[in-house]
PDB file of all heavy atoms in Angstrom:
ATOM      1  N   GLY A   1      33.840-194.744-112.662  1.00 65.00           N
ATOM      2  CA  GLY A   1      35.101-194.150-112.999  1.00 65.00           C
ATOM      3  C   GLY A   1      36.310-194.994-112.747  1.00 65.00           C
ATOM      4  O   GLY A   1      37.194-195.056-113.559  1.00 65.00           O
ATOM      5  N   VAL A   2      36.286-195.655-111.592  1.00 77.00           N
ATOM      6  CA  VAL A   2      37.383-196.538-111.230  1.00 77.00           C
ATOM      7  C   VAL A   2      37.593-197.646-112.277  1.00 77.00           C
ATOM      8  O   VAL A   2      38.629-197.996-112.745  1.00 77.00           O
ATOM      9  CB  VAL A   2      37.179-197.134-109.868  1.00 77.00           C
ATOM     10  CG1 VAL A   2      38.239-198.262-109.508  1.00 77.00           C
ATOM     11  CG2 VAL A   2      37.347-196.002-108.783  1.00 77.00           C
ATOM     12  N   GLU A   3      36.411-198.260-112.681  1.00 85.00           N
ATOM     13  CA  GLU A   3      36.477-199.352-113.612  1.00 85.00           C
ATOM     14  C   GLU A   3      36.880-198.871-115.063  1.00 85.00           C
ATOM     15  O   GLU A   3      37.694-199.545-115.697  1.00 85.00           O
ATOM     16  CB  GLU A   3      35.104-200.077-113.753  1.00 85.00           C
ATOM     17  CG  GLU A   3      35.047-201.293-114.562  1.00 85.00           C
ATOM     18  CD  GLU A   3      35.993-202.406-114.091  1.00 85.00           C
ATOM     19  OE1 GLU A   3      36.104-202.592-112.855  1.00 85.00           O
ATOM     20  OE2 GLU A   3      36.558-203.070-114.993  1.00 85.00           O
ATOM     21  N   SER A   4      36.359-197.710-115.386  1.00 84.00           N
ATOM     22  CA  SER A   4      36.765-197.153-116.728  1.00 84.00           C
ATOM     23  C   SER A   4      38.307-196.820-116.728  1.00 84.00           C
ATOM     24  O   SER A   4      38.955-197.064-117.636  1.00 84.00           O
ATOM     25  CB  SER A   4      35.982-195.831-116.958  1.00 84.00           C
ATOM     26  OG  SER A   4      36.333-195.224-118.110  1.00 84.00           O
ATOM     27  N   ASP A   5      38.761-196.247-115.664  1.00 89.00           N
ATOM     28  CA  ASP A   5      40.213-195.911-115.546  1.00 89.00           C
ATOM     29  C   ASP A   5      41.125-197.208-115.586  1.00 89.00           C
ATOM     30  O   ASP A   5      42.153-197.208-116.241  1.00 89.00           O
ATOM     31  CB  ASP A   5      40.561-195.162-114.297  1.00 89.00           C
ATOM     32  CG  ASP A   5      40.003-193.683-114.361  1.00 89.00           C
ATOM     33  OD1 ASP A   5      39.686-193.169-115.475  1.00 89.00           O
ATOM     34  OD2 ASP A   5      39.924-193.026-113.351  1.00 89.00           O
ATOM     35  N   LYS A   6      40.631-198.199-114.977  1.00 91.00           N
ATOM     36  CA  LYS A   6      41.391-199.502-114.996  1.00 91.00           C
ATOM     37  C   LYS A   6      41.478-200.030-116.465  1.00 91.00           C
ATOM     38  O   LYS A   6      42.583-200.438-116.902  1.00 91.00           O
ATOM     39  CB  LYS A   6      40.624-200.529-114.105  1.00 91.00           C
ATOM     40  CG  LYS A   6      41.413-201.864-113.975  1.00 91.00           C
ATOM     41  CD  LYS A   6      40.651-202.804-113.114  1.00 91.00           C
ATOM     42  CE  LYS A   6      41.326-204.146-113.141  1.00 91.00           C
ATOM     43  NZ  LYS A   6      40.532-205.188-112.533  1.00 91.00           N
ATOM     44  N   LYS A   7      40.372-199.914-117.224  1.00 93.00           N
ATOM     45  CA  LYS A   7      40.397-200.390-118.628  1.00 93.00           C
ATOM     46  C   LYS A   7      41.347-199.510-119.437  1.00 93.00           C
ATOM     47  O   LYS A   7      42.157-200.106-120.311  1.00 93.00           O
ATOM     48  CB  LYS A   7      39.017-200.355-119.191  1.00 93.00           C
ATOM     49  CG  LYS A   7      38.196-201.497-118.797  1.00 93.00           C
ATOM     50  CD  LYS A   7      36.786-201.390-119.435  1.00 93.00           C
ATOM     51  CE  LYS A   7      36.842-201.346-120.899  1.00 93.00           C
ATOM     52  NZ  LYS A   7      35.512-201.298-121.542  1.00 93.00           N
ATOM     53  N   ARG A   8      41.324-198.230-119.206  1.00 92.00           N
ATOM     54  CA  ARG A   8      42.160-197.252-119.961  1.00 92.00           C
ATOM     55  C   ARG A   8      43.637-197.535-119.700  1.00 92.00           C
ATOM     56  O   ARG A   8      44.485-197.687-120.569  1.00 92.00           O
ATOM     57  CB  ARG A   8      41.914-195.806-119.511  1.00 92.00           C
ATOM     58  CG  ARG A   8      40.637-195.188-120.038  1.00 92.00           C
ATOM     59  CD  ARG A   8      40.368-193.860-119.372  1.00 92.00           C
ATOM     60  NE  ARG A   8      41.404-192.916-119.474  1.00 92.00           N
ATOM     61  CZ  ARG A   8      41.509-192.043-120.416  1.00 92.00           C
ATOM     62  NH1 ARG A   8      40.573-191.888-121.248  1.00 92.00           N
ATOM     63  NH2 ARG A   8      42.518-191.186-120.411  1.00 92.00           N
ATOM     64  N   ASP A   9      43.935-197.681-118.346  1.00 95.00           N
ATOM     65  CA  ASP A   9      45.318-197.938-117.941  1.00 95.00           C
ATOM     66  C   ASP A   9      45.851-199.306-118.531  1.00 95.00           C
ATOM     67  O   ASP A   9      46.978-199.337-118.946  1.00 95.00           O
ATOM     68  CB  ASP A   9      45.491-198.005-116.393  1.00 95.00           C
ATOM     69  CG  ASP A   9      45.272-196.621-115.847  1.00 95.00           C
ATOM     70  OD1 ASP A   9      45.126-195.636-116.560  1.00 95.00           O
ATOM     71  OD2 ASP A   9      45.265-196.533-114.551  1.00 95.00           O
ATOM     72  N   GLU A  10      45.003-200.320-118.513  1.00 95.00           N
ATOM     73  CA  GLU A  10      45.371-201.558-119.133  1.00 95.00           C
ATOM     74  C   GLU A  10      45.753-201.431-120.617  1.00 95.00           C
ATOM     75  O   GLU A  10      46.658-202.003-121.064  1.00 95.00           O
ATOM     76  CB  GLU A  10      44.290-202.679-118.860  1.00 95.00           C
ATOM     77  CG  GLU A  10      44.279-203.139-117.421  1.00 95.00           C
ATOM     78  CD  GLU A  10      43.115-204.003-117.112  1.00 95.00           C
ATOM     79  OE1 GLU A  10      42.171-204.265-118.068  1.00 95.00           O
ATOM     80  OE2 GLU A  10      42.970-204.510-116.004  1.00 95.00           O
ATOM     81  N   TYR A  11      44.843-200.718-121.263  1.00 95.00           N
ATOM     82  CA  TYR A  11      45.058-200.494-122.778  1.00 95.00           C
ATOM     83  C   TYR A  11      46.441-199.781-122.943  1.00 95.00           C
ATOM     84  O   TYR A  11      47.235-200.140-123.752  1.00 95.00           O
ATOM     85  CB  TYR A  11      43.947-199.687-123.404  1.00 95.00           C
ATOM     86  CG  TYR A  11      44.197-199.391-124.777  1.00 95.00           C
ATOM     87  CD1 TYR A  11      44.156-200.266-125.800  1.00 95.00           C
ATOM     88  CD2 TYR A  11      44.539-198.035-125.141  1.00 95.00           C
ATOM     89  CE1 TYR A  11      44.445-200.005-127.102  1.00 95.00           C
ATOM     90  CE2 TYR A  11      44.846-197.716-126.460  1.00 95.00           C
ATOM     91  CZ  TYR A  11      44.747-198.704-127.443  1.00 95.00           C
ATOM     92  OH  TYR A  11      45.087-198.359-128.744  1.00 95.00           O
ATOM     93  N   PHE A  12      46.580-198.662-122.245  1.00 95.00           N
ATOM     94  CA  PHE A  12      47.825-197.891-122.392  1.00 95.00           C
ATOM     95  C   PHE A  12      49.073-198.776-121.994  1.00 95.00           C
ATOM     96  O   PHE A  12      50.063-198.689-122.742  1.00 95.00           O
ATOM     97  CB  PHE A  12      47.780-196.588-121.544  1.00 95.00           C
ATOM     98  CG  PHE A  12      46.807-195.533-121.941  1.00 95.00           C
ATOM     99  CD1 PHE A  12      46.212-194.732-121.030  1.00 95.00           C
ATOM    100  CD2 PHE A  12      46.567-195.321-123.313  1.00 95.00           C
ATOM    101  CE1 PHE A  12      45.284-193.803-121.432  1.00 95.00           C
ATOM    102  CE2 PHE A  12      45.640-194.345-123.728  1.00 95.00           C
ATOM    103  CZ  PHE A  12      45.006-193.583-122.790  1.00 95.00           C
ATOM    104  N   ASN A  13      48.935-199.523-120.966  1.00 95.00           N
ATOM    105  CA  ASN A  13      50.088-200.390-120.512  1.00 95.00           C
ATOM    106  C   ASN A  13      50.344-201.460-121.637  1.00 95.00           C
ATOM    107  O   ASN A  13      51.537-201.748-121.881  1.00 95.00           O
ATOM    108  CB  ASN A  13      49.726-201.060-119.234  1.00 95.00           C
ATOM    109  CG  ASN A  13      49.737-200.108-117.996  1.00 95.00           C
ATOM    110  OD1 ASN A  13      49.060-200.398-117.041  1.00 95.00           O
ATOM    111  ND2 ASN A  13      50.371-198.912-118.128  1.00 95.00           N
ATOM    112  N   SER A  14      49.302-201.883-122.299  1.00 95.00           N
ATOM    113  CA  SER A  14      49.554-202.881-123.456  1.00 95.00           C
ATOM    114  C   SER A  14      50.355-202.303-124.539  1.00 95.00           C
ATOM    115  O   SER A  14      50.938-202.979-125.333  1.00 95.00           O
ATOM    116  CB  SER A  14      48.196-203.459-123.879  1.00 95.00           C
ATOM    117  OG  SER A  14      47.554-202.513-124.712  1.00 95.00           O
ATOM    118  N   LEU A  15      50.347-200.973-124.666  1.00 95.00           N
ATOM    119  CA  LEU A  15      51.109-200.269-125.683  1.00 95.00           C
ATOM    120  C   LEU A  15      52.508-199.926-125.156  1.00 95.00           C
ATOM    121  O   LEU A  15      53.255-199.216-125.921  1.00 95.00           O
ATOM    122  CB  LEU A  15      50.406-198.987-126.096  1.00 95.00           C
ATOM    123  CG  LEU A  15      48.982-199.205-126.800  1.00 95.00           C
ATOM    124  CD1 LEU A  15      48.372-197.797-127.082  1.00 95.00           C
ATOM    125  CD2 LEU A  15      49.122-200.042-127.996  1.00 95.00           C
ATOM    126  N   GLY A  16      52.878-200.358-123.996  1.00 96.00           N
ATOM    127  CA  GLY A  16      54.165-200.038-123.442  1.00 96.00           C
ATOM    128  C   GLY A  16      54.269-198.636-122.736  1.00 96.00           C
ATOM    129  O   GLY A  16      55.340-198.130-122.556  1.00 96.00           O
ATOM    130  N   LEU A  17      53.069-198.064-122.464  1.00 97.00           N
ATOM    131  CA  LEU A  17      53.053-196.735-121.874  1.00 97.00           C
ATOM    132  C   LEU A  17      52.826-196.805-120.322  1.00 97.00           C
ATOM    133  O   LEU A  17      52.150-197.732-119.913  1.00 97.00           O
ATOM    134  CB  LEU A  17      51.865-195.923-122.488  1.00 97.00           C
ATOM    135  CG  LEU A  17      51.881-195.757-124.013  1.00 97.00           C
ATOM    136  CD1 LEU A  17      50.639-195.110-124.525  1.00 97.00           C
ATOM    137  CD2 LEU A  17      53.118-194.998-124.432  1.00 97.00           C
ATOM    138  N   VAL A  18      53.463-195.921-119.623  1.00 97.00           N
ATOM    139  CA  VAL A  18      53.234-195.849-118.197  1.00 97.00           C
ATOM    140  C   VAL A  18      52.229-194.689-117.902  1.00 97.00           C
ATOM    141  O   VAL A  18      52.363-193.605-118.510  1.00 97.00           O
ATOM    142  CB  VAL A  18      54.609-195.511-117.544  1.00 97.00           C
ATOM    143  CG1 VAL A  18      54.414-195.222-116.042  1.00 97.00           C
ATOM    144  CG2 VAL A  18      55.627-196.611-117.784  1.00 97.00           C
ATOM    145  N   VAL A  19      51.369-194.968-117.023  1.00 97.00           N
ATOM    146  CA  VAL A  19      50.302-193.938-116.699  1.00 97.00           C
ATOM    147  C   VAL A  19      50.547-193.508-115.291  1.00 97.00           C
ATOM    148  O   VAL A  19      50.604-194.255-114.338  1.00 97.00           O
ATOM    149  CB  VAL A  19      48.908-194.575-116.817  1.00 97.00           C
ATOM    150  CG1 VAL A  19      47.854-193.547-116.434  1.00 97.00           C
ATOM    151  CG2 VAL A  19      48.617-195.131-118.192  1.00 97.00           C
ATOM    152  N   LEU A  20      50.703-192.176-115.103  1.00 97.00           N
ATOM    153  CA  LEU A  20      50.719-191.553-113.832  1.00 97.00           C
ATOM    154  C   LEU A  20      49.415-190.846-113.591  1.00 97.00           C
ATOM    155  O   LEU A  20      48.924-190.116-114.385  1.00 97.00           O
ATOM    156  CB  LEU A  20      51.880-190.531-113.719  1.00 97.00           C
ATOM    157  CG  LEU A  20      53.257-190.952-114.094  1.00 97.00           C
ATOM    158  CD1 LEU A  20      54.240-189.801-113.975  1.00 97.00           C
ATOM    159  CD2 LEU A  20      53.653-192.137-113.196  1.00 97.00           C
ATOM    160  N   ARG A  21      48.798-191.107-112.413  1.00 95.00           N
ATOM    161  CA  ARG A  21      47.570-190.523-112.133  1.00 95.00           C
ATOM    162  C   ARG A  21      47.719-189.639-110.845  1.00 95.00           C
ATOM    163  O   ARG A  21      48.301-190.057-109.859  1.00 95.00           O
ATOM    164  CB  ARG A  21      46.517-191.588-111.750  1.00 95.00           C
ATOM    165  CG  ARG A  21      46.038-192.289-113.003  1.00 95.00           C
ATOM    166  CD  ARG A  21      44.837-193.179-112.752  1.00 95.00           C
ATOM    167  NE  ARG A  21      44.293-193.625-114.016  1.00 95.00           N
ATOM    168  CZ  ARG A  21      43.534-192.944-114.743  1.00 95.00           C
ATOM    169  NH1 ARG A  21      43.128-191.688-114.361  1.00 95.00           N
ATOM    170  NH2 ARG A  21      43.119-193.374-115.923  1.00 95.00           N
ATOM    171  N   TYR A  22      47.184-188.427-110.942  1.00 96.00           N
ATOM    172  CA  TYR A  22      47.206-187.460-109.837  1.00 96.00           C
ATOM    173  C   TYR A  22      45.774-186.863-109.705  1.00 96.00           C
ATOM    174  O   TYR A  22      45.089-186.666-110.742  1.00 96.00           O
ATOM    175  CB  TYR A  22      48.155-186.391-110.110  1.00 96.00           C
ATOM    176  CG  TYR A  22      49.527-186.807-110.304  1.00 96.00           C
ATOM    177  CD1 TYR A  22      50.077-186.896-111.633  1.00 96.00           C
ATOM    178  CD2 TYR A  22      50.351-187.228-109.273  1.00 96.00           C
ATOM    179  CE1 TYR A  22      51.301-187.312-111.859  1.00 96.00           C
ATOM    180  CE2 TYR A  22      51.686-187.633-109.488  1.00 96.00           C
ATOM    181  CZ  TYR A  22      52.138-187.689-110.839  1.00 96.00           C
ATOM    182  OH  TYR A  22      53.378-188.156-111.073  1.00 96.00           O
ATOM    183  N   SER A  23      45.325-186.746-108.503  1.00 94.00           N
ATOM    184  CA  SER A  23      43.996-186.129-108.244  1.00 94.00           C
ATOM    185  C   SER A  23      44.168-184.683-108.404  1.00 94.00           C
ATOM    186  O   SER A  23      45.201-184.041-108.299  1.00 94.00           O
ATOM    187  CB  SER A  23      43.506-186.481-106.847  1.00 94.00           C
ATOM    188  OG  SER A  23      44.276-185.861-105.848  1.00 94.00           O
ATOM    189  N   ASN A  24      42.974-183.970-108.664  1.00 94.00           N
ATOM    190  CA  ASN A  24      42.982-182.544-108.700  1.00 94.00           C
ATOM    191  C   ASN A  24      43.381-181.981-107.377  1.00 94.00           C
ATOM    192  O   ASN A  24      44.069-180.956-107.358  1.00 94.00           O
ATOM    193  CB  ASN A  24      41.525-182.073-109.043  1.00 94.00           C
ATOM    194  CG  ASN A  24      41.219-182.234-110.528  1.00 94.00           C
ATOM    195  OD1 ASN A  24      42.093-182.496-111.336  1.00 94.00           O
ATOM    196  ND2 ASN A  24      40.013-182.269-110.849  1.00 94.00           N
ATOM    197  N   GLU A  25      43.001-182.680-106.345  1.00 94.00           N
ATOM    198  CA  GLU A  25      43.537-182.273-104.993  1.00 94.00           C
ATOM    199  C   GLU A  25      45.009-182.244-104.915  1.00 94.00           C
ATOM    200  O   GLU A  25      45.614-181.379-104.255  1.00 94.00           O
ATOM    201  CB  GLU A  25      42.903-183.187-103.974  1.00 94.00           C
ATOM    202  CG  GLU A  25      43.063-182.787-102.532  1.00 94.00           C
ATOM    203  CD  GLU A  25      42.112-181.646-102.116  1.00 94.00           C
ATOM    204  OE1 GLU A  25      41.174-181.396-102.893  1.00 94.00           O
ATOM    205  OE2 GLU A  25      42.322-181.082-101.047  1.00 94.00           O
ATOM    206  N   ASP A  26      45.699-183.243-105.504  1.00 96.00           N
ATOM    207  CA  ASP A  26      47.158-183.270-105.426  1.00 96.00           C
ATOM    208  C   ASP A  26      47.736-182.026-106.212  1.00 96.00           C
ATOM    209  O   ASP A  26      48.677-181.452-105.742  1.00 96.00           O
ATOM    210  CB  ASP A  26      47.679-184.519-106.205  1.00 96.00           C
ATOM    211  CG  ASP A  26      47.452-185.776-105.513  1.00 96.00           C
ATOM    212  OD1 ASP A  26      47.323-185.792-104.249  1.00 96.00           O
ATOM    213  OD2 ASP A  26      47.291-186.858-106.166  1.00 96.00           O
ATOM    214  N   ILE A  27      47.161-181.680-107.298  1.00 97.00           N
ATOM    215  CA  ILE A  27      47.556-180.537-108.041  1.00 97.00           C
ATOM    216  C   ILE A  27      47.355-179.219-107.205  1.00 97.00           C
ATOM    217  O   ILE A  27      48.251-178.382-107.183  1.00 97.00           O
ATOM    218  CB  ILE A  27      46.809-180.374-109.451  1.00 97.00           C
ATOM    219  CG1 ILE A  27      47.113-181.565-110.307  1.00 97.00           C
ATOM    220  CG2 ILE A  27      47.198-179.051-110.146  1.00 97.00           C
ATOM    221  CD1 ILE A  27      48.611-181.736-110.672  1.00 97.00           C
ATOM    222  N   ASN A  28      46.221-179.148-106.593  1.00 96.00           N
ATOM    223  CA  ASN A  28      45.936-177.926-105.855  1.00 96.00           C
ATOM    224  C   ASN A  28      46.693-177.819-104.528  1.00 96.00           C
ATOM    225  O   ASN A  28      46.977-176.659-104.115  1.00 96.00           O
ATOM    226  CB  ASN A  28      44.458-177.898-105.524  1.00 96.00           C
ATOM    227  CG  ASN A  28      43.538-177.618-106.773  1.00 96.00           C
ATOM    228  OD1 ASN A  28      43.965-176.907-107.671  1.00 96.00           O
ATOM    229  ND2 ASN A  28      42.410-178.238-106.869  1.00 96.00           N
ATOM    230  N   ARG A  29      47.000-178.908-103.840  1.00 97.00           N
ATOM    231  CA  ARG A  29      47.596-178.862-102.567  1.00 97.00           C
ATOM    232  C   ARG A  29      49.059-179.247-102.447  1.00 97.00           C
ATOM    233  O   ARG A  29      49.747-178.909-101.630  1.00 97.00           O
ATOM    234  CB  ARG A  29      46.804-179.708-101.538  1.00 97.00           C
ATOM    235  CG  ARG A  29      45.505-179.113-101.297  1.00 97.00           C
ATOM    236  CD  ARG A  29      44.755-179.887-100.185  1.00 97.00           C
ATOM    237  NE  ARG A  29      43.486-179.363 -99.974  1.00 97.00           N
ATOM    238  CZ  ARG A  29      43.006-179.107 -98.771  1.00 97.00           C
ATOM    239  NH1 ARG A  29      43.738-179.403 -97.713  1.00 97.00           N
ATOM    240  NH2 ARG A  29      41.775-178.663 -98.618  1.00 97.00           N
ATOM    241  N   HIS A  30      49.532-180.110-103.476  1.00 97.00           N
ATOM    242  CA  HIS A  30      50.837-180.636-103.456  1.00 97.00           C
ATOM    243  C   HIS A  30      51.512-180.504-104.821  1.00 97.00           C
ATOM    244  O   HIS A  30      52.119-181.462-105.328  1.00 97.00           O
ATOM    245  CB  HIS A  30      50.771-182.064-103.066  1.00 97.00           C
ATOM    246  CG  HIS A  30      50.023-182.374-101.738  1.00 97.00           C
ATOM    247  ND1 HIS A  30      50.459-181.958-100.461  1.00 97.00           N
ATOM    248  CD2 HIS A  30      48.824-182.909-101.558  1.00 97.00           C
ATOM    249  CE1 HIS A  30      49.569-182.308 -99.609  1.00 97.00           C
ATOM    250  NE2 HIS A  30      48.522-182.813-100.261  1.00 97.00           N
ATOM    251  N   PHE A  31      51.407-179.407-105.409  1.00 98.00           N
ATOM    252  CA  PHE A  31      51.853-179.167-106.823  1.00 98.00           C
ATOM    253  C   PHE A  31      53.349-179.488-106.960  1.00 98.00           C
ATOM    254  O   PHE A  31      53.764-180.245-107.865  1.00 98.00           O
ATOM    255  CB  PHE A  31      51.571-177.754-107.307  1.00 98.00           C
ATOM    256  CG  PHE A  31      51.828-177.537-108.757  1.00 98.00           C
ATOM    257  CD1 PHE A  31      51.177-178.072-109.715  1.00 98.00           C
ATOM    258  CD2 PHE A  31      52.974-176.706-109.029  1.00 98.00           C
ATOM    259  CE1 PHE A  31      51.337-177.841-111.085  1.00 98.00           C
ATOM    260  CE2 PHE A  31      53.264-176.522-110.383  1.00 98.00           C
ATOM    261  CZ  PHE A  31      52.432-177.030-111.414  1.00 98.00           C
ATOM    262  N   ASP A  32      54.176-178.986-106.054  1.00 97.00           N
ATOM    263  CA  ASP A  32      55.588-179.221-106.147  1.00 97.00           C
ATOM    264  C   ASP A  32      55.951-180.695-106.016  1.00 97.00           C
ATOM    265  O   ASP A  32      56.839-181.206-106.706  1.00 97.00           O
ATOM    266  CB  ASP A  32      56.344-178.474-105.032  1.00 97.00           C
ATOM    267  CG  ASP A  32      56.331-176.898-105.234  1.00 97.00           C
ATOM    268  OD1 ASP A  32      56.054-176.512-106.418  1.00 97.00           O
ATOM    269  OD2 ASP A  32      56.542-176.162-104.289  1.00 97.00           O
TER     270      ASP A  32
END
């Protein structure tokens, strides 16, 4: 998963896009 996400992020970044990643735990415990 880490390797796959790295490739995805590199592709999105090559298009000039910024990728924000949050864990499900972040959503559940630190939503605000």
Side-chain angles (χ1 to χ4, degrees):
V2 170
E3 187 59 35
S4 176
D5 287 345
K6 182 180 176 191
K7 282 179 58 178
R8 286 169 57 93
D9 290 356
E10 287 172 356
Y11 174 74
F12 291 146
N13 292 156
S14 76
L15 299 176
L17 304 172
V18 173
V19 179
L20 303 180
R21 289 190 168 278
Y22 303 100
S23 69
N24 285 343
E25 189 76 12
D26 290 334
I27 297 297
N28 291 324
R29 292 184 180 228
H30 309 288
F31 186 72
D32 291 340

